[in-house]
Structures are given as structure tokens and as C-alpha cells.
């Protein structure tokens, strides 16, 4: 059996459940673009699932490799320090899965350009 | 004299100066798209300028109205609670400027779609 690929969208989390809505929308879009891929959300704090929990689910589904994508605009301490430690733990716990850490989504030129385009339009309506 | 419009891109801030690079890139893009508008960055914590400092600069440049755009992916406590208080203070301190608070950039469908497109491509390279 061909083992599926996985993607974990890793976000900060917040006390208000409504905070997660944009991240859930990103997940839905990615699932539409990649129907062959298992796409999970995970949060650093305040809301479930944690990264280890989401990783456990994808490993249990037989994923051969999982990309972890930080849904952060800038790469601060959470992305540069906390996340590499979490990745090391995943590699130990699930050695049969290839885990890859991607750059923070906010550093991508396409995301930067989209934010700028939206801001420039907001300015026009003021 | 026609008073210029202003935009303040309001981000969280971090201890590492490199964290601010994507936000500076957004600012540069917006300046290119809106050469008639004064565009400033401001940070909630860890790095200057603060929102009151950036607001003071734009007011001193004669801006008639300033849009404050939260460069946050989700609207958590910083956007829903801290920022409205900061806006009230700006209105008191600069009553001759019209201050408008925009939604968090991460809630915009175009930004959500761009993030999803980038993530979907990341998956392909794994």
C-alpha cells in the first residue's frame, strides 16, 4: 500500500476558539488543493491538538513523510527555538516517518505580496 | 495644502531584529502600491516604534486620516483587546486625525488563499 503524505499547519493558538478560524480556512483550502494529502492543524498552546497529538494521528494514518509548516508571520522564538525541539521529539517518537520543517509562512514572497495588496486596497476605502 | 493619508502596519514585535524582515517587506510593497500614502510600521512590544510613536510621526506629517492594519494572522487578545484601547488613546491625543482600525490581515480571503497556495506547493517538493 502506498503510504500517504501529510502536512501539519502549526499555529500559535489563543484562548478564544474564534481565533482559529483563518487557520481552519487555510486547512480547508490546502485539502482542496491537495486531496491526496492528509492535512492537520496543530497549536503551540491554548487549543488542541498539540503538535505531538497531530503528529501521532498522521503517523497512525500511515504517513511516510510529513511537512510541518509554521503559520507564523515572523520567525520568532516559537519558530526558531521551540519548534526545532518539538521536531526532534517527533523524529524520536516516529522514526518511520520523515519529518520536514518548512520556513514560516509569512516569509514567503507570495504571502508578503498578498498582504501588501490587501493593505493597499484598505487604504483606498478610508 | 492637501493633507496626506497614512497607513500604520501594526505587528507583534520580537526580540530578534531579523523577525521584522517580512513586515518591512510588506511596508516596502505597500509604499510601491501607494506612493501617495505615508506608510509606517509599529510594534506592540520588543521593538520600536510603538503605535503611539508611529502615530505621532504621521500626525506630525499632517495626515488627515490613518488606517491601522493589524499584521496578525488571527485576532487574539492583542488585536481584540489591546488594540482598541491603543486606538482610543490615539483619538484623544490626535483629535484632528481620523483613525480607523482594520481587521487582522490574516482574516482576509486573499491572504488565506495565498498561504494555502504556498503550503500546497511546499507539499509537492517533500
Amino acid at each position: 500500500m502506498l503510504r500517504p503524505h501529510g502536512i501539519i499547519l502549526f499555529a500559535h493558538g489563543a484562548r478564544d476558539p474564534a481565533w482559529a478560524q483563518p487557520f481552519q480556512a487555510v486547512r480547508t483550502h490546502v485539502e482542496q488543493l491537495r486531496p491526496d494529502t492528509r492535512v492537520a492543524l496543530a497549536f503551540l498552546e491554548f487549543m488542541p491538538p498539540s503538535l505531538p497529538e497531530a503528529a501521532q494521528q498522521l503517523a497512525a494514518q500511515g504517513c511516510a513523510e510529513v511537512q510541518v509548516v509554521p503559520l507564523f508571520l515572523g520567525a520568532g522564538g516559537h519558530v526558531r527555538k521551540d519548534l526545532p525541539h518539538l521536531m526532534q521529539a517527533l523524529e524520536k517518537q516516529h522514526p518511520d516517518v520523515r519529518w520536514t520543517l518548512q520556513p514560516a509562512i509569512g516569509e514567503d514572497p507570495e504571502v508578503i505580496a498578498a498582504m501588501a495588496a490587501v493593505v493597499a486596497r484598505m487604504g483606498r476605502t478610508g
Side-chain angles (χ1 to χ4, degrees), chain A:
Chain A
M1 193 191 96
L2 195 65
R3 295 171 67 195
H5 286 209
I7 291 175
I8 297 179
L9 306 170
F10 179 71
H12 188 284
R15 287 185 179 82
D16 179 4
W19 180 89
Q21 284 171 5
F23 304 93
Q24 289 158 348
V26 173
R27 181 194 181 185
T28 302
H29 277 246
V30 174
E31 284 176 330
Q32 287 164 351
L33 293 166
R34 295 286 307 265
D36 54 326
T37 299
R38 310 293 165 99
V39 186
L41 268 176
F43 300 97
L44 180 65
E45 53 189 2
F46 299 125
M47 40 181 53
S50 67
L51 182 58
E53 288 166 351
Q56 172 62 41
Q57 283 188 342
L58 292 188
Q61 291 174 21
C63 286
E65 57 179 279
V66 176
Q67 315 252 353
V68 177
V69 185
L71 295 189
F72 285 72
L73 285 183
H78 295 317
V79 172
R80 288 183 302 109
K81 293 177 188 164
D82 299 345
L83 200 41
H85 283 292
L86 288 166
M87 295 294 294
Q88 281 177 358
L90 295 189
E91 284 159 15
K92 267 195 191 163
Q93 200 165 5
H94 307 285
D96 56 327
V97 179
R98 187 151 68 94
W99 301 95
T100 311
L101 179 56
Q102 297 284 353
I105 196 75
E107 296 181 338
D108 186 275
E110 183 173 340
V111 174
I112 288 171
M115 288 193 283
V118 170
V119 170
R121 278 203 305 274
M122 281 177 177
R124 295 265 179 234
T125 65

